[in-house]
Amino acid sequence: MELIKLNNVSKAYGEKDNKFYALKDINVTINSGELIAIIGPSGSGKSTLLNIIGTLDTYTNGEYILKKENIGGLNDRKLAKYRNSTFGFVVQHFALINEYSVYKNIEVPLKYANISKKTRKERINYVLRTLELEDKSSKFPTQLSGGQCQRVAIARALVNNPDIILADEPTGALDSKTGSVVMDTFRNMNKEGKTVIIITHDERIAKQCNRVIKIIDGQLVG
Ligand SMILES: Nc1ncnc2c1ncn2[C@@H]1O[C@H](COP(=O)(O)OP(=O)(O)OP(=O)(O)O)[C@@H](O)[C@H]1O
Ligand SMILES: [Mg+2]
């Protein structure tokens, strides 16, 4: 099923002579259930593309159809709701709150979504089990390894049961062994039906994906 469709999407910064295209005429269709790597040099537009897909960033031209709906027509409130229920975000440096326990970190998106305490507990316990973090529930991020922190960040991205996981260099801060454990987690999520899109500089990560999207100077190649 067609999940994401970008038609001639561009993102420009600046005006006239100073105009710079971070993305230029991107056409791409992503179906549900895909496991995709986005690769390309630094500054080529990978994060911009991922953030536009996740509705965290805006585009300046073109059309974005998400689940058959034209995103350009939605107001901020609707977009925020979409974002919460459709996407789970994972970033390179985890973005965990150090003053919160693992449990409380994972709870954050559920609180935003106004989920009851009882349901929050069930969902959190479920993702803790899935990511083998049950014994870390009351620990704080500073007491965990990098790989464990990244798994907490993935648990937090998953807890709202999103359809689409967007990960911006999720293994970038990890050694290769820990990175491959994290990659296994993404592959498992994909097997369970999630659409997963991962930005990576790592060939080995890209090789494990079903499809590779390459960007150079804001344009898709290959
Ligand atoms: N707010 C901004 N104003 C102007 N230019 C910007 C802005 N944000 C990003 N850019 C430019 O857009 C281009 C694409 O940036 P983007 O962050 O998408 O690259 P990237 O492929 O993710 O790079 P990296 O691998 O280093 O993370 C870069 O050249 C960057 O300098
Ligand atoms: Mg980037």
Side-chain angles (χ1 to χ4, degrees):
M1 193 194 77
E2 187 179 295
L3 196 57
I4 289 165
K5 194 166 187 355
L6 301 182
N7 294 324
N8 290 312
V9 165
S10 297
K11 169 82 179 180
Y13 289 108
E15 298 284 326
K16 294 189 181 147
D17 290 352
N18 287 322
K19 202 161 182 170
F20 166 79
Y21 283 93
L23 290 176
K24 184 91 171 112
D25 293 328
I26 301 290
N27 288 295
V28 70
T29 302
I30 294 171
N31 294 316
S32 60
E34 286 201 85
L35 172 60
I36 296 181
I38 299 179
I39 62 167
S42 179
S44 58
K46 302 181 297 297
S47 296
T48 307
L49 177 60
L50 201 76
N51 290 339
I52 288 174
I53 289 174
T55 73
L56 288 172
D57 200 354
T58 55
Y59 45 96
T60 45
N61 285 97
E63 197 178 52
Y64 177 9
I65 315 283
L66 174 63
K67 295 183 182 172
K68 307 265 183 235
E69 184 160 33
N70 192 334
I71 284 301
L74 300 182
N75 61 30
D76 286 350
R77 203 172 56 87
K78 265 199 141 180
L79 267 186
K81 216 175 152 202
Y82 235 131
R83 213 166 19 240
N84 257 327
S85 59
T86 305
F87 298 105
F89 296 91
V90 183
V91 297
Q92 180 173 5
H93 292 289
F94 328 131
L96 298 176
I97 302 167
N98 281 331
E99 293 73 25
Y100 281 12
S101 66
V102 165
Y103 187 96
K104 280 196 135 203
N105 265 286
I106 299 173
E107 193 175 30
V108 170
L110 295 175
K111 282 196 158 171
Y112 273 118
N114 283 322
I115 308 286
S116 74
K117 194 171 178 186
K118 181 167 171 283
T119 309
R120 293 206 299 266
K121 194 171 177 197
E122 284 166 9
R123 295 238 202 124
I124 294 166
N125 285 334
Y126 175 75
V127 292
L128 284 171
R129 270 201 307 280
T130 309
L131 288 148
E132 295 176 24
L133 287 165
E134 286 152 298
D135 58 333
K136 301 290 184 276
S137 178
S138 58
K139 293 264 190 285
F140 289 82
T142 51
Q143 299 173 300
L144 304 180
S145 71
Q148 288 164 345
C149 282
Q150 192 55 295
R151 269 155 47 216
V152 175
I154 296 171
R156 183 185 52 188
L158 275 179
V159 78
N160 266 339
N161 196 23
D163 304 324
I164 308 167
I165 310 288
L166 301 176
D168 196 340
E169 303 235 20
T171 63
L174 307 175
D175 63 77
S176 63
K177 188 159 163 257
T178 315
S180 80
V181 172
V182 166
M183 188 56 200
D184 287 345
T185 310
F186 283 111
R187 287 174 55 175
N188 284 336
M189 286 167 1
N190 176 250
K191 274 196 201 117
E192 281 159 21
K194 306 267 180 225
T195 305
V196 182
I197 309 176
I198 303 170
I199 294 178
T200 186
H201 279 114
D202 188 336
E203 285 274 321
R204 286 165 301 180
I205 300 281
K207 276 204 183 103
Q208 294 180 57
C209 295
N210 312 128
R211 179 174 162 201
V212 177
I213 291 176
K214 187 171 187 185
I215 309 187
I216 294 179
D217 291 337
Q219 291 184 288
L220 296 193
V221 292

